Amino acid sequence: MAKPEHSFMRGTLVLSVAAFVNRILGFISGMFVARVLGAEGIGILMMAHPLVPLVITITELGLPVAISKLVAEASARGERAKVRRILHVSLAVTGILSVTLTTASLLGSEWIAKLLLSDQRAYYAMLAITPIAPIVAVSAVLKGYFRGMQRMKTIAASDVLEHTVQIACVLALVHLLMPYGVAYAAAGAMAASVVSEAISLLFLGFSYKLHGEAKEPGETWSNHLRTGKPTLSELLKIGLPTTGQGVVQSVYGAFQPLLITSSLALAGIGTAVATKQFGMLAGYAFPLLFMPSFITHSLSTALIPAIGEASVNKQGMLMHTRMDQALRMGLLIGAPATVILFVWATPLTTLVYHAPEAGLLLKILAPMFFLHYFDAPLHAILLGLGRAGAALWNFVLATAFKTASIFVFGSQFGIAGVAVGLGVGIVMQTLLNFFSVSGSIGFYWRVEPYIKVGFCMSVMAVCGRAAYDFLIREGWPLLWSVTASATGALALYLALLTLTNAWRWKQVRRAPVSW
């Protein structure tokens, strides 16, 4: 049997590879959709989306996170019947809630559209995406089970399958519906997500049927549900604070387009232009920002059950080791990603979206977004420790601060001010989660590695920008100038990490607490 550290890192590696493939597929799909729909169409797409996360959040009740933690703990104690009971109770709850709320959303779709959509052309896209809620809710429960059992390969395979189907459906439906107008094309892009999620759910169900827990004689669903009240209480103790965070996030997401367009209106910007600028921010800048963070998110996915298992076994050193692994990975990956997104901001948005005006937004957000590479692991550690309540209140405070910042800065400085407000929210949330983790299990931090990585970042930025400017002056095409200068700068960064002893492969593999 593999050691916990090794199985944890293997699971992270599997999820990271799958996430990388998915990001590439999603990026290609997003680039095609962005070019076909334009900034205005992307704005419509983004406005239509926020209702569904709210429905999914309420139906899930935070159970996927609770499932991964409790299944890992029950499995570590050898309680196989409890593992099955956790899954059956969770599926029953999410199945009933998701179907009920999705039906209500479809019946009240016109009223919801009038309340939430600042641009009514987004109505068809909102209608097309609504049926995805019960599919995603049930899939999330199964993924929570597989995470708890450390079966990351199954999750990785389902994610790759989902994105492969999605890109094919998006390309077909957007191309097919674009002649009828941008509103129908956006609806087609949303419908593609529903189809791909359904295929992924079928795969997860088939995988559980093949490799799931074998039932004991006389064991039935009804028995689990009748005796499942204590299990449900355990799930909700972790799940409800997570649900609260998801509800706050979804409500904020639903009103964010209205908040942004209202603040832009106070800055003297009309509805059509505001929709276009919102599309540049949400559809152009944020996909580029989130592109490199797949590793830390994969790490966070594996971190929740890993921290939960170490906590239930009272292995304090192992918890600190895993925390050290996560934050170190966030530092080493976030540093070059931030430099690339900042230094090559305008060339990247020009190449990918033919939208150089979106480069300013990317340049504003990139430095503050650097902390996001630490926030995801810190949040996962809190959940693994059972401190979902602390994570909830940190998010509420950060969201309130972000909302105020967007309104104040946006009304004064337009879309650039909105970008600053969003970045301020990221900084606030990361700091709050850091203080919560420190208060729970302590935090051992050496400044030296961060100084070394900061030095490597600075040299990478200066040399990369100089190389890019030189190649442009020499008449190189934009694509080759960006590719050559960014690749050379990244190679220089890796070389400096090795020379300064800030990166050693054995450290990452064995992950001792000290650097």
Side-chain angles (χ1 to χ4, degrees), residues 76-393:
R77 291 191 293 260
E79 298 173 346
R80 317 308 294 180
K82 184 174 181 179
V83 170
R84 292 188 291 275
R85 190 180 307 117
I86 289 169
L87 181 61
H88 292 166
V89 170
S90 301
L91 285 173
V93 172
T94 54
I96 293 170
L97 280 176
S98 62
V99 171
T100 303
L101 288 178
T102 301
T103 302
S105 298
L106 289 172
L107 293 175
S109 59
E110 292 186 10
W111 177 81
I112 294 169
K114 290 177 182 178
L115 177 66
L116 294 181
L117 302 180
S118 57
D119 192 327
Q120 293 301 306
R121 291 178 297 172
Y123 171 72
Y124 296 109
M126 186 191 76
L127 206 61
I129 194 65
T130 301
I132 203 173
I135 302 172
V136 171
V138 175
S139 292
V141 169
L142 290 173
K143 287 179 180 180
Y145 162 79
F146 286 122
R147 278 195 292 269
M149 297 299 293
Q150 305 289 328
R151 293 269 309 279
M152 303 303 177
K153 290 181 180 179
T154 302
I155 299 173
S158 72
D159 288 344
V160 171
L161 176 63
E162 175 194 333
H163 281 78
T164 303
V165 173
Q166 184 179 16
I167 191 172
C169 292
V170 163
L171 295 176
L173 290 175
V174 171
H175 180 75
L176 183 68
L177 296 174
M178 192 61 192
Y180 298 97
V182 68
Y184 289 98
M190 291 298 201
S193 299
V194 178
V195 175
S196 61
E197 283 285 356
I199 297 297
S200 175
L201 175 58
L202 290 174
F203 175 81
L204 289 170
F206 181 71
S207 297
Y208 179 76
K209 194 75 175 174
L210 281 180
H211 307 292
E213 297 291 306
K215 293 182 180 180
E216 295 178 359
E219 185 179 344
T220 63
W221 271 70
S222 58
N223 288 337
H224 282 308
L225 297 181
R226 278 197 303 269
T227 59
K229 188 175 180 180
T231 300
L232 181 60
S233 297
E234 283 186 88
L235 288 165
L236 293 181
K237 184 179 179 181
I238 301 169
L240 286 180
T242 305
T243 301
Q245 178 175 337
V247 169
V248 172
Q249 184 174 13
S250 299
V251 169
Y252 167 77
F255 284 97
Q256 186 189 59
L258 196 58
L259 170 68
I260 292 175
T261 52
S262 298
S263 65
L264 293 178
L266 290 176
I269 298 171
T271 302
V273 176
T275 300
K276 182 178 179 180
Q277 290 186 345
F278 176 71
M280 285 195 300
L281 182 64
Y284 294 175
F286 270 100
L288 288 170
L289 287 165
F290 280 104
M291 180 72 178
S293 63
F294 65 91
I295 293 180
T296 50
H297 279 285
S298 300
L299 193 63
S300 301
T301 299
L303 200 55
I304 296 173
I307 290 290
E309 183 181 345
S311 178
V312 78
N313 291 328
K314 302 188 184 304
Q315 296 173 307
M317 183 59 70
L318 183 57
M319 281 194 290
H320 280 285
T321 297
R322 286 171 172 169
M323 179 172 68
D324 185 70
Q325 286 175 311
L327 296 182
R328 186 184 311 174
M329 198 68 72
L331 172 68
L332 295 175
I333 292 169
T338 299
V339 170
I340 289 173
L341 293 172
F342 180 81
V343 172
W344 288 272
T346 300
L348 283 173
T349 57
T350 302
L351 279 173
V352 177
Y353 303 114
H354 300 309
E357 62 273 22
L360 174 63
L361 304 178
L362 186 58
K363 188 178 284 287
I364 291 171
L365 281 165
M368 292 180 282
F369 199 83
F370 177 50
L371 289 183
H372 175 76
Y373 297 97
F374 303 97
D375 178 59
L378 289 170
H379 181 258
I381 291 167
L382 284 175
L383 295 179
L385 292 171
R387 296 205 59 199
L392 166 62
W393 288 112

Side-chain angles (χ1 to χ4, degrees), residues 351 476-484:
L351 279 173
W476 282 43
L478 182 61
L479 174 62
W480 292 110
S481 297
V482 171
T483 303

Side-chain angles (χ1 to χ4, degrees), residues 394-451:
N394 291 345
F395 182 78
V396 169
L397 289 173
T399 301
F401 200 81
K402 176 170 62 176
T403 301
S405 299
I406 289 173
F407 189 78
V408 171
F409 291 125
S411 60
Q412 294 296 317
F413 305 107
I415 193 65
V418 170
V420 171
L422 289 167
V424 167
I426 293 170
V427 173
M428 177 65 69
Q429 183 172 331
T430 304
L431 292 176
L432 289 172
N433 283 338
F434 170 78
F435 290 130
S436 294
V437 171
S438 298
S440 297
I441 59 174
F443 195 85
Y444 303 99
W445 186 39
R446 289 182 59 197
V447 179
E448 180 187 355
Y450 291 83
I451 294 175

